[in-house]
Amino acid sequence: MANVKVKLFANLREIAQTSSLSLTGDSVKDVLLSLTEQYPALKELVFEAGDDVKLCGYINVFLNGNNIKHMEGLDTILNDNDELGIFPPVSGG
């Protein structure tokens, strides 16, 4: 299992009351499931409702600065010291 730094932004950070934490997992999906187990209020913001594990369409997850949508998505394999950034939709003026 890889030890990964997870950075949370905007309302995700407010809900978890932390901007970053360390989690372990083999894939992006493993780490996000671990995150939402630790912070259940994040689950409905990160994952779509239902039995399948699927990211909400408006959530962006970046692995070392690269969007996982351009990689293997939730199945992207992680390595020690990788950094995941999780971004909710942002609006403002």
Side-chain angles (χ1 to χ4, degrees):
M1 284 198 167
N3 189 24
V4 178
K5 181 176 184 177
V6 178
K7 295 178 83 175
L8 303 172
F9 295 89
N11 62 332
L12 301 176
R13 174 177 45 209
E14 291 172 17
I15 291 168
Q17 297 183 341
T18 185
S19 60
S20 67
L21 62 153
S22 257
L23 294 171
T24 58
D26 292 321
S27 68
V28 172
K29 183 191 319 182
D30 293 339
V31 170
L32 293 180
L33 287 171
S34 180
L35 173 70
T36 57
E37 285 174 18
Q38 191 168 345
Y39 300 98
L42 294 178
K43 187 172 185 176
E44 65 186 34
L45 297 174
V46 174
F47 294 117
E48 289 186 0
D51 293 334
D52 294 336
V53 177
K54 187 174 178 185
L55 277 180
C56 285
Y58 52 77
I59 289 289
N60 286 299
V61 179
F62 290 83
L63 172 61
N64 301 326
N66 299 302
N67 194 320
I68 65 165
K69 291 178 183 176
H70 304 294
M71 302 169 94
E72 299 298 321
L74 290 174
D75 295 323
T76 302
I77 300 300
L78 300 171
N79 298 301
D80 277 335
N81 301 316
D82 277 347
E83 185 174 282
L84 280 179
I86 307 171
F87 295 84
V90 178
S91 64

